[in-house]
Amino acid sequence: MGLGAAGPLNSSEGAGPGSCFGAFNSSASLNETQPRAITSPWFSTAFGLIGLCSNLFALCVLLGSSRQLSSRARSSFLVFLCGLVVTDFMGLLVTASVIIPYHFIKFNWAEVDAGCHLCNFLGFSMVFFGQCPLLLGATMASERFVGINRPFSRSSSVSKRRAWAIVGTVWAFCCLLGLLPVLGLGRYTLQFPGSWCFLTLLPDTGNVIFCLLFALLGVFSVLLSFVFNTVSVVTLCRVYHDRESVQRRRDSEVEMMVQLVGIMIIATICWMPLLIFIIQTVLQQLQAPERLLTLPTETQKLLLIYIRMVTWNQILDPWVYILFRRAVLRRVYPSLRARPSIVSLYPVLNPSLRRKLTQE
């Protein structure tokens, strides 16, 4: 999503409360030394480079693996993984292209972006590339839930073309969500310490609706992933411990679920603090006797810390796939061998149907 920030805003005192420069008190940040320590330009630059290299490496591995597969279920799962990696890579690339140059140029936002176009673009990017991984994680969890628990209700499985269509639908939905402030619901504003833009945690109707929509959608995606993955894991555990099928373990399904659970755990740890913080902050400000025109300094600092936690999600996601592949696990546990897939658990199937499902 974002890389955080570095250096205080040069000048935004003249910006009105309706512009994108009125969410925090830049003059207060100028007099503090602590923010400069936690917003080092090298911190964001290092995070950006590590994240970009990690996702690029994972993308190369994914493309290589997809060419060697004949299983439709595994191929569709790799398409979703590829969509996730591409999203994380582009999110880091787009946000870094704005944030990192600011670290070294220290341009004046109020002068360079008087019309708030750059701020709106950066805010849109933060929302779009932030919400996409959560929704893709929920989509992958639901696809695996159906594949494991209802394997024969979808005998044609999900083709690569359909999987890419689903990924495109998620991208289109998140794009529409990110455009809402541009269309008038809420607004994007410059955030502490003045090098990135995000949704505005101020208690007016438009901002409250958009903040709650963004946060609740993210929480719903995480919870949906948790429910689907839990049921799928329980199903696989039952099969794994079934005496009649001990020698027919579904290694491919297990591998996909291990990767999916890893992605879910990382998303939960990295995202839930920010999402809960957004909901809590907005609701608390609604109950306050006076309406704030700028965010409190402590709120600004916490928001920056939680955004930094979200950045780890984009860095760690690709390593879940890189490290938890059977090719890697077999080097650690040489006793692991490839075994038949879920079809082997149903020996009474019609032979022609078994051949069709195995080919898919």
Side-chain angles (χ1 to χ4, degrees):
M1 188 174 161
L3 297 176
L9 178 67
N10 294 336
S11 176
S12 62
E13 291 81 355
S19 71
C20 60
F21 302 114
F24 79 94
N25 188 352
S26 61
S27 61
S29 65
L30 285 169
N31 298 324
E32 299 181 4
T33 57
Q34 182 182 3
R36 297 180 181 179
I38 67 173
T39 58
S40 166
W42 301 110
F43 184 88
S44 296
T45 304
F47 261 48
L49 291 177
I50 293 174
L52 289 173
C53 293
S54 299
N55 282 280
L56 190 60
F57 179 46
L59 186 60
C60 294
V61 175
L62 277 169
L63 293 176
S65 299
S66 63
R67 297 191 185 100
Q68 304 172 1
L69 288 177
S70 58
S71 170
R72 177 173 290 187
R74 181 62 180 166
S75 297
S76 62
F77 183 78
L78 288 182
V79 168
F80 291 124
L81 269 179
C82 188
L84 178 63
V85 171
V86 169
T87 301
D88 287 338
F89 177 82
M90 292 303 299
L92 288 168
L93 182 63
V94 170
T95 54
S97 65
V98 178
I99 294 174
I100 292 180
Y102 174 86
H103 296 344
F104 300 98
I105 301 175
K106 297 295 192 300
F107 57 82
N108 188 320
W109 275 88
E111 294 180 0
V112 173
D113 189 31
C116 293
H117 302 300
L118 180 60
C119 186
N120 285 333
F121 170 75
L122 186 56
F124 165 81
S125 300
M126 299 286 285
V127 170
F128 175 81
F129 293 111
Q131 196 67 241
C132 273
L134 298 179
L135 290 178
L136 285 174
T139 302
M140 294 164 65
S142 62
E143 192 274 339
R144 282 291 80 216
F145 170 82
V146 176
I148 292 174
N149 295 275
R150 298 289 186 271
F152 307 116
S153 66
R154 54 196 279 278
S155 58
S156 62
S157 192
V158 178
S159 64
K160 283 187 176 182
R161 179 175 298 180
R162 185 178 179 184
W164 276 117
I166 295 174
V167 173
T169 301
V170 172
W171 285 342
F173 177 81
C174 292
C175 181
L176 179 61
L177 177 68
L179 288 175
L180 288 180
V182 181
L183 299 176
L185 182 63
R187 61 191 174 100
Y188 294 122
T189 51
L190 201 64
Q191 304 292 333
F192 170 81
S195 63
W196 61 291
C197 293
F198 196 47
L199 46 84
T200 307
L201 306 182
L202 291 177
D204 59 81
T205 304
N207 288 325
V208 169
I209 294 175
F210 183 64
C211 288
L212 291 179
L213 179 62
F214 175 83
L216 292 177
L217 182 61
V219 171
F220 175 76
S221 299
V222 173
L223 293 179
L224 193 65
S225 298
F226 176 80
V227 172
F228 282 150
N229 288 335
T230 300
V231 176
S232 298
V233 168
V234 170
T235 302
L236 286 179
C237 287
R238 288 177 179 176
V239 172
Y240 189 91
H241 292 289
D242 186 354
R243 292 182 180 179
E244 295 181 359
S245 58
V246 167
Q247 301 302 321
R248 299 190 294 268
R249 298 169 187 169
R250 297 180 290 178
D251 286 350
S252 178
E253 285 82 1
V254 171
E255 177 191 18
M256 288 186 280
M257 282 310 306
V258 169
Q259 294 170 352
L260 197 52
V261 169
I263 291 172
M264 180 194 69
I265 293 174
I266 291 173
T268 302
I269 295 175
C270 295
W271 270 99
M272 288 303 285
L274 174 65
L275 299 175
I276 294 175
F277 174 75
I278 291 174
I279 297 173
Q280 182 181 12
T281 300
V282 170
L283 294 181
Q284 285 180 349
Q285 292 191 9
L286 281 178
Q287 300 173 358
E290 297 182 359
R291 303 186 67 179
L292 300 177
L293 297 180
T294 59
L295 291 174
T297 303
E298 191 63 29
T299 301
Q300 300 167 25
K301 293 179 181 179
L302 287 174
L303 182 60
L304 177 61
I305 292 174
Y306 291 138
I307 285 292
R308 284 281 173 76
M309 291 179 62
V310 168
T311 304
W312 276 101
N313 184 79
Q314 295 172 307
I315 296 175
L316 296 176
D317 267 349
W319 288 102
V320 172
Y321 173 72
I322 293 172
L323 297 178
F324 291 97
R325 291 178 296 130
R326 278 178 291 175
V328 176
L329 295 177
R330 284 171 191 162
R331 294 183 180 181
V332 181
Y333 300 100
S335 60
L336 288 177
R337 293 190 300 244
R339 306 173 193 268
S341 67
I342 187 172
V343 180
S344 65
L345 301 178
Y346 299 87
V348 297
L349 286 178
N350 181 279
S352 62
L353 179 59
R354 286 173 54 84
R355 284 195 301 269
K356 180 180 178 182
L357 291 173
T358 304
Q359 291 173 356
E360 293 176 346

